[in-house]
């Protein structure tokens, strides 16, 4: 469902003539006017390939920024030692939708080739900007300067700079939400 995936599949001569891009979709939701709260949201699996180690190192360096983590995974215990992270565990349904709608922005720090991550799709579905890694299909979903921002995958310095820029410019986040 992305040009990225098509390009990868097209490296196989047997698949090249048979691949077509058909963008993924999300359900249509009624936009609920929600007041943004002052936190950055990560939701998904707490694992190495999702960029959690890089994100946690940045969270430690930004003690004045509140982060909410929703999910579960093998790195769950690593969150406990960071005071500005609130781990709300696995969420779904309206509870997850509320977390997404109320976040200043969500972050998708993936370090693997994600094709069409639902965390990006769901954030955009609920009107929340996304700060995404520039890897896999993420750059096709996050339009830098329109629906969020991108940073170089695995680059903690770049991730930190973008989090600070978005956090310190709520008018920019509002622009990305509209």
């Amino acid at each position: 469902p992305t040009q990225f995936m098509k390009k990868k599949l097209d490296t196989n001569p047997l698949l090249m003539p048979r691949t077509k891009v058909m963008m993924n979709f999300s359900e249509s939701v009624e936009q609920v006017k929600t007041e943004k709260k002052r936190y950055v949201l990560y939701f998904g699996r707490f694992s190495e390939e999702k960029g959690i180690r890089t994100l946690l190192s940045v969270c430690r360096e930004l003690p004045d920024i509140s982060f909410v983590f929703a999910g579960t995974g093998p790195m769950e215990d690593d969150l406990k030692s960071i005071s500005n992270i609130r781990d709300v565990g696995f969420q779904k349904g309206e509870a997850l939708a509320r977390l997404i709608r109320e976040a200043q922005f969500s972050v998708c720090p993936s370090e693997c080739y994600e094709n069409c991550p639902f965390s990006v799709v769901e954030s955009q579905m609920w009107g929340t900007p996304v700060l995404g890694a520039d890897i896999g299909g993420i750059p096709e979903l996050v339009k830098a300067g329109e629906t969020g921002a991108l940073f170089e995958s695995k680059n903690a310095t770049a991730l930190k700079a973008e989090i600070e820029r978005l956090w310190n410019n709520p008018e920019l986040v509002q622009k990305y939400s509209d």
Side-chain angles (χ1 to χ4, degrees):
T2 61
Q3 289 294 334
F4 166 78
M5 180 61 74
K6 179 178 179 4
K7 185 177 175 183
K8 289 293 182 191
L9 290 172
D10 284 352
T11 62
N12 181 325
L14 296 173
L15 296 177
M16 185 187 301
R18 301 181 343 190
T19 59
K20 301 222 182 315
V21 175
M22 297 174 61
M23 292 306 290
N24 212 339
F25 57 91
S26 63
E27 64 184 88
S28 178
V29 295
E30 183 179 330
Q31 288 298 320
V32 178
K33 187 66 176 166
T34 305
E35 187 174 327
K36 296 289 188 183
K37 296 188 178 172
R38 291 293 283 170
Y39 64 85
V40 177
L41 177 65
Y42 171 84
F43 62 106
R45 184 165 167 72
F46 302 157
S47 57
E48 194 79 37
E49 72 278 3
K50 296 293 189 174
I52 292 297
R53 188 167 313 286
T54 303
L55 180 57
L56 293 179
S57 72
V58 169
C59 292
R60 282 186 191 92
E61 294 179 23
L62 298 171
D64 296 332
I65 296 178
S66 298
F67 293 86
V68 172
F69 279 57
T72 187
M75 296 183 70
E76 202 166 327
D77 287 341
D78 295 331
L79 279 63
K80 293 180 175 143
S81 64
I82 305 172
S83 62
N84 58 328
I85 292 177
R86 182 169 56 106
D87 179 6
V88 296
F90 180 79
Q91 299 288 310
K92 62 182 182 177
E94 178 53 30
L96 178 59
R98 185 178 305 110
L99 282 171
I100 297 168
R101 285 192 314 263
E102 292 178 350
Q104 289 291 304
F105 57 94
S106 69
V107 62
C108 181
S110 193
E111 296 180 359
C112 66
Y113 289 143
E114 294 208 50
N115 184 44
C116 188
F118 284 124
S119 62
V120 173
V121 173
E122 288 179 288
S123 291
Q124 293 175 336
M125 179 177 81
W126 290 111
T128 296
V130 179
L131 172 55
D134 66 349
I135 189 170
I138 297 169
E140 292 178 51
L141 300 173
V142 178
K143 302 297 180 206
E146 294 177 30
T147 62
L150 296 169
F151 71 96
E152 181 184 7
S153 179
K154 300 182 185 180
N155 184 332
T157 302
L159 175 57
K160 178 182 176 186
E162 282 301 313
I163 289 174
E164 288 178 307
R165 183 176 76 88
L166 294 174
W167 184 261
N168 292 323
N169 293 285
E171 69 286 348
L172 189 58
V173 173
Q174 180 60 47
K175 177 185 140 193
Y176 296 162
S177 296
D178 294 338

